[in-house]
Amino acid sequence: MRTLALSDEILMQVEKPARYIGGEINAVMKDPEAVKVRFAMCFPDVYEIGMSHLGIQILYGMLNSYEDVWCERVYSPWVDLDAVMRKEQIPLFALESQDPIRTFDFLGITIQYEMCYTNILQVLDLSGIPLLAKDRTEEDPIVIGGGPCTYNPEPICDFFDLFYIGEGETRYRELISLYEDCRDRGLSRQDFLKKAACIPGIYVPSLYEVSYHEDGTIKEMKPLEEGIPERILKEMVTEVSDTYYPDKPVVPFIKVTQDRVVLEIMRGCIRGCRFCQAGQLYRPVRERDVEFLKKYAIAMLENTGHEEISLSSLSSSDYQKLPELIDFLIEECSRRKVNISLPSLRIDAFSLDVMNKVQDVKKSSLTFAPEAGSQRLRNVINKGLTEEVILQGAKLAFEGGWTRVKLYFMLGIPFETEEDIQGIAELCNKIAAEFYDTVPKEKRNGRVQIVASTSFFIPKPFTPFQWAPQCRKEDFLNKAYLTRTAIMSQLNQKSIKYNWHEADASVMEGILARGDRKVNQVILKAYEKGCFYDAWGEYYKHDVWLETFEECGVDPDFYTVRERSEDEIFPWDFIDCGVTKAFLLREWKRAAEAVVTPNCRMQCQGCGAARFGTGVCFDKHAGVTEIQTETEENGNEGTN
Amino acid sequence: MKVRIKFSKEGPVRFIGHLDIMRYFQKAIRRAGIDIAYSTGFSPHQIMSFASPLSVGHESCSEYFDVELNSITDTEDIKNRLNRTMAEGIQILQVAVLDEKEGNAMASVAAANYLISFRDSVSLPDDWKEKLTAFYEKDKIPVIKKTKKGEREIDLKETIYQLEIREDQVYMLLDAGSGSNMKPGFVLETFCAAENISLPEYPFRVRRLETYKRTGEGKLVPLIP
């Protein structure tokens, strides 16, 4: 039996000790003597969040399928254990072997949201690994960053030896083999990093230099040495039905956020909503073969014993064989008494029919995400949802017996006016009115419940809004106040509940999202002053952050409220996510004119993603007339 | 038909709480492909009932739960299929088909025995064994027991069916009935308080050895005899 890294006394005094014991069903054990490379895969947040992440399950299974590699997991110890580990100087350990992380060859950290940046430092610190890559020795693991936030790795580039930009399935084998080879030949850490920098998708920040204009914007970013690539093209799986997918995901002992089988049906999104980073980063849309999905659904249910399966994608309604897949799942799952959970479905006759089949009589609420209150502003963000469609969907739902509707909006979208905010209230009111028009009095069981929630819009890199100024905290709160007042003045206001978010964390997320190399020192100092678990409201210390920016002489407004010029070089411009900057700029201009852009299946917009030679760009059945070629735009790209 | 399953819980999995162990077995039964019966209604769940919750941190080689099955191969097959999908430290020890008139596991529990050792962090007087024997030999041990409903005085002695010192460990057979369950730690805490032995937090290592029901004649026998 395994010996735990933590004593019984410690495990008995912390909350949920099962977070730290490993040994879950499908966790992989190997003989450390029989492998060449020890890899620790980290999600820098608490176990229940990290264990719910599909990407780690994919990479964990894939790396362990290599005979020479043992991949283990590590998460952020919760604040209670964190304090004990610091006091008693217990090094952070991997769940499977319970061995110290510092003894591993690699520490891979997935970075899914900006507010986990200080937790990266917590994991390094507790492991006893120097926080700054430049201070690491031959004894330390190679620290790798991956995940969506690494499309702008600059604010955290001092903490990583290398970043893996793009989808993880493609280059790990090559990277690990290179490492083994370098080690066998007695080469140094630095030698390995230089060679790694030449593998497609790998970015070694220490090999690049950035110079700035006087106003603080970037003048130039260039490699320090010959042979190191100037631009990093994201890695992408071209054949999503012929790639690794985990059929034995790890089954946690304790209840986690996503306690179910997750079936990723496709990558990418055809929609092109202008606020959405994922919609650009994962282009082009690639659907998995329906037979592949059926096979994995059954295998995963049998190997985990989970009682629920969920479909995952950015927009499941756009998966072309969805009816066939759902029919299959309904039949298999009812036999097995397994629930089906269907997030991100557009509300229409088909989805309501499906929900009727998969959900019991206790109707849950229906969710719409209009994102903006008026049609004009929905055109600005290119959200193709019209009021007519929303009301029609709501009417169908009310006829089907649903009485609760959730609506998601954003405040602070570029070009937003007071009328647009007023539109949020009016839309809620119209939906409530639709209920009273649709459902006769005798059939009503109380009021309809409409819950409107707003989040604050944060411009992200690689979106058409990357040029946009972000609202100040006061503007955000003022907009929330306007929304509330507008809702209160509606006829059906008693049926409408309104929730809004705190503005402080949104401001900070905005700084980190579009930050540059100067932000590293601020993150480091904020961490040293006790900031971590920033994604958890109760631990987020806004005042400490602001104070730290001031102490470091870094102006937060530079990253948020400033409008960027069309020719500004962004910190992330050296990364090529497939979509060109010229396309994004075109979309930014169309947003200003509130012009809608058709989705990828309706008409190719020549975004640049066709260069990968796969997915929707080459999907002849979808009525795509021709692929726009991009010679002119690619020419412009070189100057960025 | 009703089947009773006996399992052990040892090593790292002792830090998994009772509710999570129940969830663990719900998934294990699906993985093993056992034809379990589900309740009817809007959200069907497996018909399963556990005998006696084990405190987090305690080990055991005699945990029990009952399941209702639609069909059955044979008990050995069920045991093997479950054992093929167990986590480290959890092992299926016995599977038995229950008689129709057998009460459910939880209601049947009458007693349980434990082996307790003191952790190194506890400093015991040299003559603790004699003192503990003397403590147990008293006719009555009045003590205040805190329950969900408040405090009440009980006679601790009535809940201890047997107490023995075995080398450096303490063996106890205790009342484990649903209303009168006595925890082994509470017995030793009471003893230490009486002898002014100060205890750190988490002073004991506890292992449940067997869980018993009472026969018609009043005899204690294991839940699977």
Side-chain angles (χ1 to χ4, degrees):
Chain A
M1 209 112 50
R2 295 171 311 132
T3 314
L4 298 178
L6 300 171
S7 69
D8 285 22
E9 284 82 354
I10 293 173
L11 285 164
M12 289 303 289
Q13 65 174 283
V14 299
E15 211 181 290
K16 301 190 189 174
R19 285 168 173 164
Y20 311 110
I21 63 175
E24 304 94 327
I25 293 296
N26 299 332
V28 177
M29 290 302 292
K30 290 192 181 185
D31 173 5
E33 301 302 318
V35 296
K36 287 194 204 155
V37 165
R38 300 281 299 270
F39 197 115
M41 188 63 80
C42 172
F43 191 110
D45 205 320
V46 75
Y47 179 88
E48 293 92 310
I49 304 290
M51 278 298 289
S52 304
H53 183 242
L54 175 66
I56 288 221
Q57 295 268 18
I58 294 176
L59 293 180
Y60 179 78
M62 184 189 80
L63 292 174
N64 278 319
S65 74
Y66 304 154
E67 216 170 291
D68 53 333
V69 180
W70 185 10
C71 177
E72 305 181 43
R73 294 158 298 142
V74 58
Y75 303 102
S76 280
W78 187 240
V79 292
D80 54 356
L81 180 60
D82 179 275
V84 175
M85 291 175 80
R86 283 171 204 273
K87 187 165 151 252
E88 307 203 4
Q89 300 196 315
I90 300 166
L92 185 60
F93 52 90
L95 292 182
E96 283 78 357
S97 65
Q98 302 272 310
D99 288 338
I101 299 299
R102 188 160 186 249
T103 63
F104 279 62
D105 297 291
F106 290 99
L107 169 59
I109 303 178
T110 183
I111 314 168
Q112 298 290 318
Y113 31 87
E114 292 82 2
M115 299 307 276
C116 76
Y117 287 174
T118 48
N119 275 54
I120 295 169
L121 297 180
Q122 177 216 17
V123 166
L124 293 171
D125 201 7
L126 290 178
S127 301
I129 299 169
L131 302 185
L132 296 174
K134 68 177 171 61
D135 297 334
R136 291 180 196 141
T137 68
E138 302 291 329
E139 304 306 309
D140 292 300
I142 303 287
V143 181
I144 307 179
C149 289
T150 63
Y151 283 87
N152 178 19
E154 294 301 84
I156 46 172
C157 69
D158 290 352
F159 315 130
F160 287 87
D161 296 298
L162 63 87
F163 290 96
Y164 181 127
I165 311 295
E167 296 172 353
E169 286 97 334
T170 53
R171 294 288 173 185
Y172 266 114
R173 181 64 267 178
E174 198 176 335
L175 185 68
I176 291 170
S177 297
L178 174 70
Y179 175 84
E180 290 171 347
D181 182 54
C182 287
R183 191 174 52 187
D184 290 348
R185 289 161 54 197
L187 298 182
S188 71
R189 184 183 187 90
Q190 196 55 28
D191 293 331
F192 163 71
L193 289 175
K194 277 185 195 167
K195 287 174 188 291
C198 298
I199 295 179
I202 303 296
Y203 166 52
V204 178
S206 60
L207 299 178
Y208 295 78
E209 174 182 65
V210 182
S211 55
Y212 300 90
H213 292 295
E214 243 170 56
D215 64 1
T217 58
I218 291 174
K219 190 171 168 193
E220 193 184 20
M221 171 166 181
K222 59 171 198 232
L224 287 164
E225 287 176 35
E226 198 121 326
I228 304 298
E230 280 183 28
R231 289 172 66 77
I232 314 286
L233 178 63
K234 80 164 178 198
E235 274 301 300
M236 208 193 72
V237 177
T238 49
E239 293 297 333
V240 286
S241 303
D242 181 25
T243 182
Y244 183 84
Y245 198 77
D247 61 354
K248 286 184 175 177
V250 179
V251 185
F253 287 120
I254 58 175
K255 222 171 161 22
V256 299
T257 314
Q258 178 106 265
D259 198 19
R260 51 185 79 90
V261 164
V262 180
L263 195 61
E264 188 197 34
I265 59 176
M266 61 179 176
R267 288 212 180 140
C269 181
I270 57 169
R271 301 273 147 191
C273 298
R274 293 184 180 123
F275 56 86
C276 177
Q277 190 188 34
Q280 305 295 341
L281 295 184
Y282 305 127
R283 283 185 175 214
V285 166
R286 289 145 294 151
E287 300 190 336
R288 289 196 204 267
D289 180 70
V290 70
E291 297 305 324
F292 174 99
L293 295 175
K294 289 177 187 173
K295 189 180 92 185
Y296 276 94
I298 298 304
M300 287 193 292
L301 286 172
E302 285 179 348
N303 291 333
T304 60
H306 278 312
E307 38 281 284
E308 188 162 287
I309 183 168
S310 165
L311 302 185
S312 165
S313 77
L314 292 169
S315 171
S316 295
S317 294
D318 293 324
Y319 180 70
Q320 297 178 101
K321 293 210 170 147
L322 191 67
E324 180 182 343
L325 180 62
I326 286 184
D327 282 347
F328 172 83
L329 288 177
I330 287 174
E331 197 184 318
E332 281 294 326
C333 293
S334 71
R335 200 159 57 77
R336 293 163 197 264
K337 304 276 192 302
V338 167
N339 300 320
I340 306 173
S341 136
L342 299 166
S344 69
L345 278 191
R346 267 197 310 283
I347 306 299
D348 55 22
F350 168 74
S351 64
L352 288 169
D353 178 49
V354 167
M355 279 185 259
N356 256 325
K357 283 184 198 156
V358 304
Q359 283 169 340
D360 52 52
V361 178
K362 293 178 292 178
K363 294 237 156 67
S364 59
S365 59
L366 279 186
T367 305
F368 292 93
E371 311 291 1
S374 71
Q375 196 55 49
R376 189 195 69 87
L377 199 59
R378 282 194 293 273
N379 292 349
V380 167
I381 60 177
N382 204 38
K383 182 92 189 180
L385 195 58
T386 62
E387 183 174 297
E388 196 190 339
V389 169
I390 296 168
L391 292 177
Q392 181 59 27
K395 185 181 166 68
L396 283 170
F398 295 144
E399 284 167 358
W402 273 273
T403 57
R404 277 184 296 165
V405 177
K406 279 196 235 166
L407 294 161
Y408 289 111
F409 297 97
M410 289 184 297
L411 293 174
I413 294 167
F415 316 114
E416 183 182 57
T417 64
E418 283 194 24
E419 288 77 64
D420 298 315
I421 292 176
Q422 186 69 28
I424 293 176
E426 284 163 12
L427 182 60
C428 292
N429 191 60
K430 280 181 192 162
I431 293 172
E434 189 73 48
F435 175 82
Y436 297 113
D437 290 347
T438 307
V439 184
K441 231 176 196 157
E442 61 278 12
K443 286 194 180 166
R444 284 180 215 158
N445 195 5
R447 278 193 195 113
V448 64
Q449 291 175 49
I450 308 228
V451 181
S453 302
T454 58
S455 61
F456 295 121
F457 172 67
I458 301 162
K460 293 282 168 99
F462 294 108
T463 66
F465 291 155
Q466 62 180 351
W467 285 272
Q470 184 177 330
C471 291
R472 290 180 188 278
K473 178 184 169 179
E474 303 75 51
D475 302 331
F476 276 146
L477 293 178
N478 188 37
K479 285 167 191 285
Y481 175 76
L482 279 174
T483 312
R484 196 171 71 107
T485 316
I487 285 175
M488 299 284 278
S489 64
Q490 297 300 315
L491 192 62
N492 291 306
Q493 53 113 342
K494 282 188 176 162
S495 304
I496 310 167
K497 189 175 177 303
Y498 173 52
N499 302 318
W500 69 97
H501 289 248
E502 285 289 320
D504 287 342
S506 300
V507 170
M508 191 54 54
E509 187 182 326
I511 299 168
L512 299 176
R514 289 191 291 174
D516 55 20
R517 289 193 166 192
K518 290 172 249 173
V519 176
N520 279 278
Q521 48 167 325
V522 186
I523 297 171
L524 178 61
K525 196 150 192 195
Y527 169 72
E528 286 169 349
K529 292 168 86 169
C531 289
F532 76 140
Y533 278 109
D534 294 312
W536 296 70
E538 67 268 41
Y539 295 104
Y540 177 63
K541 303 182 182 100
H542 193 60
D543 294 348
V544 177
W545 272 103
L546 290 187
E547 182 187 291
T548 312
F549 269 98
E550 182 133 10
E551 283 167 20
C552 295
V554 177
D555 176 17
D557 287 355
F558 177 78
Y559 302 101
T560 49
V561 299
R562 184 170 65 89
E563 174 153 2
R564 283 128 167 106
S565 70
E566 284 180 15
D567 57 357
E568 179 171 336
I569 297 173
F570 296 135
W572 54 90
D573 277 352
F574 71 99
I575 286 175
D576 186 346
C577 80
V579 171
T580 62
K581 196 172 181 182
F583 167 74
L584 294 173
L585 188 60
R586 210 156 69 213
E587 281 293 288
W588 172 229
K589 289 177 178 163
R590 286 168 76 93
E593 292 157 17
V595 179
V596 169
T597 296
N599 75 47
C600 297
R601 286 216 180 99
M602 291 160 75
Q603 190 189 23
C604 176
Q605 301 300 314
C607 73
R611 77 178 87 169
F612 294 107
T614 186
V616 67
C617 311
F618 296 87
D619 193 350
K620 294 291 176 211
H621 309 287
V624 173
T625 43
E626 66 180 294
I627 308 286
Q628 305 255 333
T629 45
E630 287 291 307
T631 44
E632 174 216 8
E633 284 191 356
N634 287 338
N636 291 342
E637 277 301 280
T639 60
N640 287 332
Chain B
M1 71 204 63
K2 228 168 161 191
V3 167
R4 182 160 293 168
I5 297 170
K6 180 183 188 181
F7 66 97
S8 59
K9 186 185 175 196
E10 294 164 314
V13 293
R14 69 187 179 281
F15 294 105
I16 301 165
H18 182 63
L19 288 176
D20 290 325
I21 285 291
M22 291 166 69
R23 286 175 359 99
Y24 165 84
F25 273 108
Q26 285 162 10
K27 292 181 200 271
I29 279 175
R30 289 168 179 279
R31 288 194 301 273
I34 289 165
D35 187 15
I36 193 166
Y38 284 80
S39 65
T40 51
F42 294 137
S43 48
H45 57 270
Q46 297 178 353
I47 301 177
M48 183 186 273
S49 97
F50 277 70
S52 174
L54 187 70
S55 300
V56 173
H58 292 188
E59 294 190 301
S60 171
C61 44
S62 78
E63 296 303 289
Y64 291 92
F65 65 97
D66 294 349
V67 288
E68 181 78 36
L69 302 184
N70 294 321
S71 67
I72 182 169
T73 44
D74 62 76
T75 53
E76 198 56 24
D77 177 62
I78 291 179
K79 183 178 142 187
N80 292 340
R81 277 203 273 165
L82 281 169
N83 270 333
R84 277 198 291 271
T85 182
M86 285 296 108
E88 179 192 51
I90 302 176
Q91 203 192 343
I92 305 298
L93 304 169
Q94 261 184 301
V95 176
V97 177
L98 290 183
D99 198 90
E100 280 304 314
K101 49 187 194 297
E102 179 81 31
N104 79 46
M106 186 182 268
S108 304
V109 176
N113 53 8
Y114 305 87
L115 205 51
I116 304 123
S117 52
F118 292 91
R119 292 189 189 279
D120 294 343
S121 53
V122 182
S123 55
L124 291 166
D126 291 342
D127 59 346
W128 72 271
K129 293 177 185 173
E130 291 74 30
K131 283 183 164 157
L132 181 58
T133 310
F135 172 79
Y136 177 58
E137 280 170 356
K138 287 187 212 166
D139 290 335
K140 260 176 122 67
I141 312 173
V143 63
I144 303 290
K145 189 182 173 189
K146 279 185 189 150
T147 64
K148 281 175 195 152
K149 287 171 196 150
E151 294 181 351
R152 72 192 159 101
E153 190 180 286
I154 56 155
D155 180 6
L156 187 63
K157 182 81 189 222
E158 280 177 12
T159 65
I160 310 173
Y161 299 147
Q162 204 185 343
L163 187 151
E164 274 173 35
I165 299 185
R166 292 187 178 172
E167 293 180 8
D168 284 329
Q169 303 186 91
V170 182
Y171 168 86
M172 282 187 241
L173 176 63
L174 299 175
D175 188 338
S178 58
S180 50
N181 179 51
M182 176 50 59
K183 291 183 171 178
F186 185 76
V187 174
L188 289 184
E189 280 161 18
T190 308
F191 160 70
C192 290
E195 293 296 330
N196 282 320
I197 300 168
S198 67
L199 289 176
E201 273 193 283
Y202 323 108
F204 316 115
R205 205 180 284 276
V206 179
R207 181 181 175 82
R208 179 141 73 193
L209 302 175
E210 188 50 86
T211 309
Y212 298 94
K213 61 180 179 180
R214 214 174 272 283
T215 62
E217 301 86 59
K219 225 175 101 208
L220 290 176
V221 293
L223 281 187
I224 298 179

